[in-house]
Amino acid sequence: MLTKDRFSPLPRHWLSMDGPSPWWLAKTARRTILVYPPIFPDPPTAGAVTAALKIYIALVAMADDDNQRKRVGRYAVKTTYEEIQQYLKLSRAMVREGLKLLEQCHAIERTGHKPLVYKITGLDRNTEEGAKGFVKLPKGHLYGNRRQSSTLPITLANYPTRGVDAMNGLALYLLLLSVVQRDNNVAMISYERIKERTDMSSKQIRQGLDLLVNHNLISVLRLNNEETFEAFGMPVPETVLRGTPNAYLIKGLKGREYNQRVNTLGEMIKQRKDMVVPADFDEPA
């Protein structure tokens, strides 16, 4: 049975600032950067990028499974177009486009054809990409529906695929996962920093975050005083970092029991007093 607070290792390799990261892909679809040398014959559509990001999340979660390790070894996943379609409610064309983008960006590597076998780049810590480490992907929360039935799509399938806002939102979600605090479920980052990483406008950031909130992927908390910084175990900056940063609570990333009922900043501040810093996130078994 898949528990609600189960998480999977997500490689930092593809969440870096340089090269074809998720937000780099979104930039190419928005035509805010020129692709040189050309990786794609034509810039990808927003729908194709969103499909790619959803497929990537699903493949990473699928690879974190004992049955997969027995079938194809560690760091890889054996699947079919039909299975991905069922999991994510995507058309066959979108699955094809999404997988192609992920291969072109070196997020995954195809090692088999029928059925498909993909190696997740960066999961093996003994490689240059894997040495960058991992962040936590809330697998239990994103899988959701499959706790009741293996024939249902995963909860992530309910997140929209069409439109630039949907693409921006999913790129933001992966960015937030990459900056989550080690000892809680919270990502702290200012709008200015998000703009630097993603080339999104304030309006685009707000609309993307709204989608994530509306689809129960995050909660938004405001950091605006000394007590709040102390609650998150952070030093109070001499100058607020180019505007008061927000705190984004990642749903389903319940690394510690004390955090399971945290939905408001007040509760986080109250429970912060009893917090103990956990051990480092080790290599997946």
Side-chain angles (χ1 to χ4, degrees):
M1 179 66 70
L2 182 65
T3 59
K4 292 182 179 180
D5 60 351
R6 169 71 181 275
F7 63 83
S8 297
L10 177 72
R12 283 192 180 277
H13 156 70
W14 205 45
L15 305 181
S16 63
M17 289 180 60
D18 303 319
S21 62
W23 31 98
W24 182 91
L25 258 183
K27 291 177 190 179
T28 64
R30 293 195 307 268
R31 314 297 201 270
T32 54
I33 59 170
L34 296 175
V35 183
Y36 184 83
I39 292 179
F40 317 118
D42 298 297
T45 65
V49 172
T50 307
L53 299 184
K54 293 176 79 169
I55 292 169
Y56 181 70
I57 290 171
L59 291 180
V60 168
M62 291 167 67
D64 179 32
D65 181 84
D66 288 339
N67 289 330
Q68 287 287 352
R69 282 188 277 270
K70 291 175 183 177
R71 294 164 69 190
V72 291
R74 301 173 72 189
Y75 322 123
V77 58
K78 183 177 183 179
T79 187
T80 63
Y81 272 38
E82 290 74 20
E83 184 175 39
I84 297 173
Q85 287 179 261
Q86 177 188 341
Y87 271 44
L88 294 170
K89 295 195 296 188
L90 293 173
S91 70
R92 189 175 183 84
M94 281 292 97
V95 171
R96 182 176 62 251
E97 287 299 308
L99 289 170
K100 182 170 68 175
L101 287 178
L102 293 174
E103 287 188 80
Q104 289 170 324
C105 292
H106 307 295
I108 61 175
E109 177 186 353
R110 187 182 304 199
T111 60
H113 294 276
K114 290 186 178 180
L116 303 172
V117 178
Y118 284 103
K119 184 176 181 180
I120 311 298
T121 308
L123 271 185
D124 184 353
R125 193 181 284 276
N126 295 317
T127 62
E128 180 180 351
E129 297 88 355
K132 296 178 181 178
F134 311 93
V135 301
K136 293 179 180 179
L137 177 74
K139 175 177 180 175
H141 185 69
L142 296 171
Y143 260 46
N145 293 339
R146 295 184 72 81
R147 286 190 295 271
Q148 284 74 47
S149 171
S150 62
T151 62
L152 290 172
I154 64 176
T155 297
L156 180 63
N158 296 326
Y159 184 85
T161 303
R162 296 182 182 277
V164 173
D165 289 344
M167 174 188 70
N168 289 341
L170 217 49
L172 287 171
Y173 183 65
L174 290 169
L175 175 60
L176 294 179
L177 289 179
S178 75
V179 296
V180 166
Q181 301 292 298
R182 284 181 53 211
D183 54 2
N184 53 44
N185 299 352
V186 177
M188 294 178 60
I189 188 168
S190 68
Y191 261 45
E192 288 303 315
R193 184 61 172 156
I194 294 175
K195 289 177 184 178
E196 289 177 9
R197 296 288 295 273
T198 66
D199 278 351
M200 295 182 198
S201 66
S202 293
K203 181 179 179 182
Q204 289 172 326
I205 295 170
R206 185 171 60 253
Q207 290 171 333
L209 292 173
D210 284 346
L211 267 179
L212 297 178
V213 171
N214 292 337
H215 287 82
N216 197 35
L217 295 180
I218 66 170
S219 292
V220 181
L221 309 172
R222 178 70 65 180
L223 300 183
N224 53 19
N225 56 45
E226 183 173 328
E227 184 183 36
T228 304
F229 280 98
E230 292 176 348
F232 287 102
M234 299 188 67
V236 180
E238 294 181 6
T239 331
V240 179
L241 308 172
R242 284 180 290 175
T244 303
N246 280 342
Y248 302 93
L249 186 69
I250 308 299
K251 296 295 186 72
L253 204 57
K254 302 180 179 70
R256 298 185 60 82
E257 289 184 4
Y258 79 89
N259 227 1
Q260 289 185 1
R261 292 191 177 89
V262 172
N263 291 307
T264 69
L265 185 56
E267 291 176 13
M268 173 65 82
I269 292 173
K270 180 180 177 181
Q271 297 190 34
R272 179 66 176 83
K273 297 176 181 178
D274 301 323
M275 187 171 70
V276 178
V277 177
D280 289 342
F281 180 30
D282 294 326
E283 182 180 2

